Amino acid sequence: MSLQYRPVLAITVLFAAALAGMSACSETTPSTSPVASGPVTQAQVAGIVHVCASCHGFEGRSISPTFPNLAGQQPAYIEAQLKSFRDHKRGDPHAQTYMWGMAGSLSDDMIHGIAAFFSAEKPAPGETGNPAEMQAGKNIFEHGIAARHVPACQGCHGNHAQGMAVIPQLAGQHRDYIEKQLGYFASNARKNRIMHENSKNLTADEIRDVATYVAAQ
Amino acid sequence: MRVWGKRPGQHPVVGALLALSLAVAAIFFLQIRTAEALPSFARQTGQQCAACHNGFPELTPYGRLFKLNGYTFGGGSSPWPPLAAMAVGSFTNTKADQAGGAAPHYGPNNNFAFDQGSIFYGGRILPDLGAFIQVTYDGIGRAFSWDNADIRYARTTTLFGAETVVGISANNNPTVTDVWNTTPAWGYPFQASGLAGSPAAATMIEGAFSGLVGGATAYTYWNRLVYVELGGYGTLSPGMQRALGEPDSSTNNVINGVAPYWRLALQHEWGRNSIEAGTFGMSAAVTPMRIFGFGRDRITDTGFDTQYQYLADRHSFSLQASVIFENALFGASSNPAIGATANSHDTLRSTHIKATYYYDQTYGATVGAFRVDGTPDPILYANPTNNSPNSTGYIGELDYIPFNHGGPAFWPWLNVKVGLQYIYYPEFNGLRGSAAQANNTLYAFAWLAF
């Protein structure tokens, strides 16, 4: 055997050994392959959740405000959104860039499993913002703006912005994310008849104030 | 690529070897800078290129995780296999004509070229096993060869309560495994003309053994904070290199045994920002030009790098900088029987920095600078005045990526990048003034992948 073969052989043997060793650890490393249909196991859900965590953060608490926190979110809301992504019914720009593909192969059972996982995680703590913005946002959240037919947010989202069923929890969500979504609702980039009516008469500053307030809860 | 050879004309055989080495260097220079975002990845994930790339090939935090997880993330529903193709065409103008032609079959200046065509396997093989394998036709050198290859097996587990990716890679190019765009295989410039002169001196890790070696690395990425990768590279046999399209496989430099490779990086993410700082390097015992019996060279490259990214909906900004220190003990090359270097000990330093702004992941502008400097060597870096390896270049580039948010309806995974790049050289291979600026290069390119 020539000199040049030996290092390559050694590297190949080491690689094979490492491969075998990692394969033996399969119980801690679930597959990331989507499941087309039928019941799903916890391990299969864990595999997909691992992919979700790339953007939404380990245990559903994300770092970048481009991606919403999912930890503690209402499970019915997560399910509804994942189905909307999968069926291309939610079409705001980030939905198209990331989520149409990410949710494209998810079965209803898998979506249910994902929603159950993230909703059971500990929500992200609120982040206190500018006091003046928070106070202005609190007023809108609790009382709305009657003159412009903007209802109080808490009427649907709850006194503590905790949400209910398909109405999302807003407490602890990234301020930038909430601000962006309200803008999408107002412009109909994200189609939702009720939220369009509720947000279309808000100014950019009022949207920012509401977002600052709920992000701090 | 560093060339361990003798001054052309000093000895006809060694001169020919040097010419061959330079030709291979030119091929590598093309190879390591032209693999980009892959439509097959987009089909597999169902996501737009912009999910993984901040103006490709620069990776976003998600793109880094996609690669570290072995290219296995799914989501897309495309029935097509994970194959992709790309083609690059260009126009090159240099400030001064290149006597005898910029390359065989090309004129001295203002050349249009089909730079390259590549076929890729890019994507999942098994649930936790994936690959990025590129075979390239060099349209300027008119030859096929294998290009970057990176086959990975990766899993995720929990360590000290935090997400931990562990994986192994079999690959053919030191730094091809890296996920920050600061290291040579995926560093800037991402595209460069093959029909313009480029600085002759470069450190070993900047492509000297690209495609000539087989290597394995093992890595772990803990809590998206700490990245550690260790591995080694060994030279492929001449027969294997020939089979893979390397033209001077019987005369190129050989790594004796296994050359260790390391990569350590710390990353911190906050809001839309991420910052990384790290080190990488490689140390190799090298037999120059496969001339055995005269000892070995010991080449050690130690690099330090940093990257900052700000990625927002419309505006994104990134900054990359690196410096590589090379310590070269030419135990064999300086032996008069080989005579590839005059000194028994040279040092070389290679520095790169660039900043990029993208609007809507579609319109980009980049400014950058690079410098290589080191010990003068009258054989290795022979020139009429100072035998210096020093070169400095400033780069400006404009890019347009019309389909980064999805291609046309008939083939949504089509991606196109057109760019205009200018390199200004105040110093080139030790020469300054008009001799250096003669190499100033205007390069317009169109890149197509599908």
Side-chain angles (χ1 to χ4, degrees):
Chain A
M1 182 175 286
S2 71
L3 273 176
Q4 295 92 52
Y5 285 105
R6 288 183 182 164
V8 174
L9 179 64
I11 288 168
T12 305
V13 169
L14 284 173
F15 186 80
L19 198 68
M22 291 176 63
S23 298
C25 301
S26 58
E27 71 281 4
T28 62
T29 52
S31 167
T32 59
S33 299
V35 177
S37 61
V40 295
T41 65
Q42 287 294 329
Q44 288 169 324
V45 171
I48 298 301
V49 161
H50 156 59
V51 179
C52 307
S54 299
C55 296
H56 293 283
F58 193 56
E59 298 172 337
R61 295 182 289 276
S62 67
I63 296 170
S64 170
T66 298
F67 311 106
N69 289 316
L70 300 180
Q73 184 54 275
Q74 295 289 338
Y77 174 76
I78 296 177
E79 282 198 45
Q81 296 309 304
L82 282 173
K83 289 176 181 175
S84 294
F85 293 133
R86 182 190 64 188
D87 301 335
H88 295 189
K89 291 177 179 172
R90 178 173 165 182
D92 50 278
H94 280 139
Q96 295 187 42
T97 299
Y98 298 94
M99 289 308 300
W100 282 15
M102 200 53 89
S105 302
L106 299 179
S107 67
D108 286 354
D109 287 339
M110 179 59 80
I111 285 173
H112 182 77
I114 293 168
F117 176 90
F118 282 117
S119 63
E121 294 296 320
K122 183 182 173 186
E127 287 190 18
T128 303
N130 177 293
E133 291 178 14
M134 287 180 56
Q135 185 56 50
K138 184 173 190 288
N139 287 338
I140 297 170
F141 186 85
E142 292 180 350
H143 307 295
I145 305 173
R148 281 184 271 142
H149 310 293
V150 176
C153 311
Q154 70 175 13
C156 294
H157 289 278
N159 294 348
H160 303 289
Q162 74 274 24
M164 183 180 68
V166 295
I167 298 168
Q169 170 180 275
L170 304 178
Q173 191 53 272
H174 293 294
R175 189 192 84 154
D176 285 3
Y177 179 80
I178 296 286
E179 195 173 352
K180 183 71 66 180
Q181 298 309 307
L182 283 170
Y184 287 154
F185 287 130
S187 68
N188 259 333
R190 179 176 173 180
K191 294 189 188 306
N192 182 299
R193 186 178 54 81
I194 295 172
M195 282 308 300
H196 175 68
E197 293 298 321
N198 293 346
S199 60
K200 69 180 185 183
N201 294 327
L202 289 171
T203 66
D205 283 352
E206 289 164 346
I207 285 176
R208 179 202 61 203
D209 294 344
V210 171
T212 302
Y213 175 72
V214 298
Q217 302 310 298
Chain B
M1 175 188 181
R2 162 154 241 145
V3 178
W4 295 292
K6 208 169 181 178
R7 179 168 42 204
Q10 197 163 27
H11 186 287
V13 174
V14 176
L17 295 177
L18 179 57
L20 276 172
S21 300
L22 286 168
V24 173
I27 292 168
F28 291 151
F29 190 72
L30 275 175
Q31 286 179 348
I32 63 174
R33 284 170 168 79
T34 48
E36 311 267 0
L38 272 196
S40 59
F41 289 153
R43 289 200 301 274
Q44 177 177 298
T45 62
Q47 295 174 324
Q48 297 172 356
C49 301
C52 283
H53 293 286
N54 171 42
F56 49 77
E58 191 176 316
L59 293 174
T60 63
Y62 171 65
R64 289 194 274 280
L65 281 166
F66 176 79
K67 181 172 178 176
L68 293 174
N69 278 278
Y71 312 107
T72 58
F73 289 175
S77 54
S78 168
W80 295 84
L83 297 173
M86 79 172 197
V88 182
S90 71
F91 169 78
T92 299
N93 166 269
T94 49
K95 185 171 182 183
D97 291 353
Q98 299 179 75
H105 314 290
Y106 289 90
N109 210 340
N110 298 321
N111 287 298
F112 289 91
F114 172 67
D115 291 29
Q116 73 172 94
S118 292
I119 301 290
F120 300 85
Y121 182 97
R124 184 171 49 214
I125 300 170
L126 294 170
D128 300 305
L129 180 71
F132 175 101
I133 299 172
Q134 180 180 7
V135 176
T136 292
Y137 175 74
D138 172 9
I140 295 171
R142 302 190 176 186
F144 279 96
S145 67
W146 80 329
D147 208 322
N148 290 314
D150 176 22
I151 304 167
R152 287 172 184 257
Y153 181 82
R155 310 293 291 257
T156 295
T157 187
T158 302
L159 186 64
F160 303 121
E163 171 197 57
T164 307
V165 182
V166 292
I168 50 178
S169 162
N171 64 82
N172 70 344
N173 182 8
T175 73
V176 77
T177 53
D178 208 46
V179 294
W180 291 276
N181 293 87
T182 49
T183 54
W186 301 107
Y188 188 79
F190 307 128
Q191 297 281 151
S193 175
L195 291 169
S198 58
T203 61
M204 171 182 69
I205 204 167
E206 292 177 283
F209 288 107
S210 168
L212 302 174
V213 292
T217 64
Y219 59 90
T220 185
Y221 189 39
W222 181 77
N223 202 22
R224 304 183 192 186
L225 175 69
V226 180
Y227 179 78
V228 180
E229 181 179 9
L230 298 171
Y233 290 86
T235 306
L236 300 174
S237 70
M240 192 177 292
Q241 289 185 23
R242 272 194 297 277
L244 294 168
E246 301 300 342
D248 69 341
S249 56
S250 60
T251 57
N252 51 26
N253 301 320
V254 178
I255 294 173
N256 294 98
V258 175
Y261 168 82
W262 70 89
R263 175 69 161 127
L264 305 170
L266 288 175
Q267 178 184 269
H268 175 60
E269 296 180 25
W270 75 104
R272 301 183 189 280
N273 308 271
S274 71
I275 191 165
E276 174 268 348
T279 179
F280 59 95
M282 182 176 172
S283 182
V286 177
T287 299
M289 297 175 286
R290 293 185 187 272
I291 301 175
F292 295 93
F294 299 97
R296 297 166 182 170
D297 299 335
R298 167 58 68 176
I299 315 296
T300 302
D301 288 355
T302 305
F304 300 93
D305 67 295
T306 187
Q307 171 175 289
Y308 168 76
Q309 285 180 319
Y310 172 81
L311 304 175
D313 296 341
R314 291 292 178 195
H315 307 284
S316 65
F317 172 79
S318 67
L319 174 72
Q320 285 89 12
S322 69
V323 57
I324 303 168
F325 297 95
E326 180 164 281
N327 188 56
L329 300 173
F330 290 124
S333 292
S334 65
N335 188 313
I338 295 179
T341 68
N343 304 329
S344 59
H345 179 209
D346 280 347
T347 61
L348 197 64
R349 179 178 63 180
S350 177
T351 308
H352 290 78
I353 185 168
K354 74 94 171 156
T356 298
Y357 168 78
Y358 262 95
Y359 176 75
D360 197 27
Q361 291 298 318
T362 304
Y363 305 95
T366 296
V367 293
F370 58 85
R371 174 165 173 80
V372 58
D373 53 11
T375 315
D377 189 305
I379 295 179
L380 191 55
Y381 307 121
N383 72 30
T385 57
N386 56 15
N387 304 314
S388 164
N390 297 4
S391 293
T392 301
Y394 300 105
I395 307 184
E397 181 173 331
L398 299 173
D399 294 298
Y400 175 49
I401 311 176
F403 302 135
N404 217 18
H405 289 294
F410 68 90
W411 191 254
W413 308 287
L414 176 69
N415 207 349
V416 172
K417 180 180 184 179
V418 293
L420 185 66
Q421 179 191 89
Y422 189 76
I423 305 179
Y424 171 78
Y425 290 104
E427 188 172 16
F428 190 93
N429 292 346
L431 304 178
R432 291 177 173 274
S434 58
Q437 291 165 29
N439 298 283
N440 293 353
T441 303
L442 176 69
Y443 177 59
F445 63 89
W447 176 99
L448 181 74
F450 49 96

